[in-house]
Amino acid sequence: MIIIKSQQEIEAMKPSGRLSAKVLRMLGDLVRPGISTHELNKFAEEMIRLEGGKPAFLGYNGYPASICVSINDQIVHGIPSRDVFLKDGDIVSIDVGVIVDGWVGDNAATFAVGQVSPELSLLLDVTEASLYNGIAAALVGGNIGDIGFAVQQTAEAYGFGVVYQYVGHGIGRSMHEDPSVPNYGRRGFGPKLREGMVIAIEPMINIGSGDTTGPFADGWTVFTLDGKPSAHFEHTVAITADGPLIITAE
């Protein structure tokens, strides 16, 4: 069931959105060769709690950390570790979820670590562009398929692969609500976009194919099947009469 939010409820979601955006930006500033993913997680949890929020991911279905940190061929759900350090030339996706007053804000971005190859730089630019093109298609009276179509067209124009198995989602007082928001689709298909819907749009785009593998031993981390790098960007977005409203904005 799709839960429609009132204008007041959308306003009530903004503090969690702002905080999750702030923490993600600050984590991006910390990304550098030599830092451990554990250090990033520790900083995120401390900042979230200092600002009066709670980490939305910690304990969610048993997830053991406050953020997801996915490096290179890891698509999503990478678990921070004391033993994993970022290296020059890596790309790293960081996903941050925050709860404030019972409402969830969820956003992600992929960052270059030091100097990366032109191909990786293009992957980051195109994946971020696919997110914003998807957001631009999130209009009252449209369809979920319009969003996926915009994302898919953007990524595939550059020969990149779209991940089909993992998708965006509705969001509100729960991390995952209806509807699913795929990063592929056809215009005019899927659930209607109605005023008051709040969704997380999150393209996961690969340099190679969109095929995935895992999770394996840790039960969480998802990898590209061909071992090629993947990027991930995400915003929480409200569907309003005035157009899409990005909740995860500072």
Side-chain angles (χ1 to χ4, degrees):
M1 179 181 71
I2 296 173
I3 301 172
I4 300 298
K5 281 76 174 176
S6 67
Q7 187 173 355
Q8 291 76 18
E9 287 173 321
I10 290 172
E11 286 296 317
M13 292 187 70
K14 288 182 178 180
S16 64
R18 283 194 296 267
L19 180 54
S20 58
K22 178 180 180 179
V23 172
L24 181 61
R25 175 183 56 78
M26 296 175 76
L27 288 168
D29 291 340
L30 291 177
V31 166
R32 65 183 186 277
I35 194 169
S36 73
T37 56
H38 165 76
E39 289 176 83
L40 295 173
N41 182 72
K42 183 173 182 290
F43 174 86
E45 181 166 354
E46 289 175 351
M47 282 302 305
I48 291 168
R49 296 192 187 281
L50 182 66
E51 298 277 348
K54 295 189 295 185
F57 299 164
L58 184 61
Y60 184 78
N61 291 334
Y63 187 75
S66 295
I67 59 174
C68 299
V69 186
S70 307
I71 303 170
N72 295 332
D73 65 331
Q74 298 174 349
I75 300 172
V76 284
H77 305 158
I79 299 174
S81 169
R82 295 178 184 273
D83 301 321
V84 175
F85 298 86
L86 301 182
K87 303 186 300 297
D88 187 65
D90 286 343
I91 59 171
V92 58
S93 164
I94 302 176
D95 196 347
V96 178
V98 171
I99 301 171
V100 176
D101 295 329
W103 296 100
V104 184
D106 186 11
N107 62 174
T110 304
F111 301 97
V113 184
Q115 296 294 316
V116 302
S117 70
E119 185 179 36
L120 287 177
S121 182
L122 180 63
L123 175 67
L124 300 192
D125 289 344
V126 171
T127 306
E128 186 171 21
S130 74
L131 168 63
Y132 283 101
N133 288 343
I135 291 171
L139 301 172
V140 172
N143 296 78
I144 287 290
D146 301 348
I147 298 171
F149 179 86
V151 170
Q152 184 176 15
Q153 290 292 107
T154 305
E156 291 183 350
Y158 288 86
F160 294 140
V162 176
V163 173
Y164 275 55
Q165 190 171 353
Y166 296 88
V167 300
H169 49 90
I171 188 169
R173 289 197 176 274
S174 298
M175 172 71 69
H176 293 101
E177 298 179 354
D178 291 333
S180 294
V181 185
N183 296 305
Y184 56 90
R186 295 170 60 191
R187 287 175 175 156
F189 284 78
K192 276 288 184 185
L193 296 172
R194 298 165 54 197
E195 185 176 358
M197 290 172 64
V198 182
I199 55 178
I201 302 174
E202 50 177 321
M204 289 155 266
I205 308 298
N206 302 345
I207 279 184
S209 79
D211 296 330
T212 70
T213 188
F216 298 116
D218 70 12
W220 285 96
T221 309
V222 178
F223 298 81
T224 61
L225 182 62
D226 57 16
K228 294 181 179 179
S230 180
H232 175 211
F233 284 82
E234 176 183 22
H235 271 307
T236 297
V237 178
I239 311 299
T240 81
D242 296 323
L245 172 68
I246 298 175
I247 300 292
T248 44
E250 288 190 77

